[in-house]
Amino acid sequence: MRKLIESTLVSLDGVMGSPERWSPFDEESRQLAMDELEKYDAFVLGRVTYEMVRAFWGPRTGDPYVDRINAMPKYVASRTLSEVTWNATLLGPDIVGAIERLKAEPGKDLIKYGTSRVDDTLLRARLVDELRVWVMPVVVGTGQRLFEDIGTSSVQLALTDVRKLANGSVILTYTPSYGT
């Protein structure tokens, strides 16, 4: 069974919105992110993240990281979109069932960038297998916060890995255990 891995960039003060404006992504970070992409078959995205990432990376070519993202299948959770582009498929009204089916298919793991409102559904359904939080050494001040508007009270997190990068970033990997 495939896993669903959530990977999110977050500032030291907990902001995760608009990381393209503030994250100090250097060559080591880029290479690590590229290496990580090889572990996944497809993306799972909420509507807002899908629209943001598509606008940012969709028109770009010639960069191996961006080219890999553009080529990967994407599964989008949305209540408002009726169609998608950019190698994407809408998950439909039963997001839980759709993710369960995707996880049951053979292949590499699934990756989800960004923490969004769809995570409330995914965490409640116990579908997120791992949280990877890239803590960046910057203070942003304002913006969407990690787990904002998401009910996480029943989720216990076990730290399973810590990786320090030369630019001062730290990647924290957690495995959720779900309470009652």
Side-chain angles (χ1 to χ4, degrees):
M1 180 177 246
R2 300 195 291 182
K3 292 180 180 179
L4 176 58
I5 311 298
E6 168 117 13
S7 183
T8 301
L9 301 175
V10 63
S11 67
L12 197 56
D13 59 339
V15 174
M16 50 144 285
S18 302
E20 72 282 359
R21 294 185 192 151
W22 50 259
S23 63
F25 238 64
D26 60 6
E27 190 53 40
E28 179 187 22
S29 303
R30 283 183 64 75
Q31 187 58 53
L32 180 59
M34 185 68 183
D35 293 346
E36 286 293 310
L37 276 184
E38 295 304 317
K39 299 177 184 178
Y40 309 113
D41 276 341
F43 276 96
V44 173
L45 302 161
R47 180 194 55 82
V48 173
T49 304
Y50 161 76
E51 289 177 336
M52 181 190 74
V53 171
R54 183 193 65 196
F56 189 70
W57 283 324
R60 295 175 51 196
T61 61
D63 176 303
Y65 179 74
V66 173
D67 290 345
R68 172 77 175 128
I69 288 173
N70 286 336
M72 290 175 72
K74 294 148 195 84
Y75 296 95
V76 181
S78 174
R79 292 184 192 106
T80 58
L81 294 176
S82 58
E83 62 181 51
V84 290
T85 61
W86 193 46
N87 202 21
T89 303
L90 286 169
L91 289 172
D94 180 14
I95 294 168
V96 170
I99 297 295
E100 288 172 339
R101 287 187 293 280
L102 285 171
K103 288 178 69 172
E105 291 177 1
K108 296 178 184 178
D109 291 336
L110 305 167
I111 183 71
K112 182 178 177 301
Y113 280 179
T115 304
S116 64
R117 287 187 300 169
V118 74
D119 287 295
D120 193 51
T121 300
L122 297 175
L123 287 166
R124 286 178 195 271
R126 302 172 181 218
L127 291 171
V128 177
D129 298 290
E130 189 174 285
L131 293 164
R132 197 164 296 142
V133 182
W134 293 50
V135 181
M136 301 291 178
V138 297
V139 176
V140 178
T142 61
Q144 183 181 355
R145 302 283 174 180
L146 186 64
F147 299 117
E148 189 173 310
D149 299 324
I150 298 171
T152 57
S153 62
S154 66
V155 179
Q156 303 292 318
L157 299 174
L159 183 63
T160 57
D161 191 47
V162 176
R163 180 166 184 173
K164 298 176 187 177
L165 303 182
N167 69 3
S169 298
V170 180
I171 303 169
L172 305 170
T173 303
Y174 296 93
T175 301
S177 61
Y178 299 95
T180 55

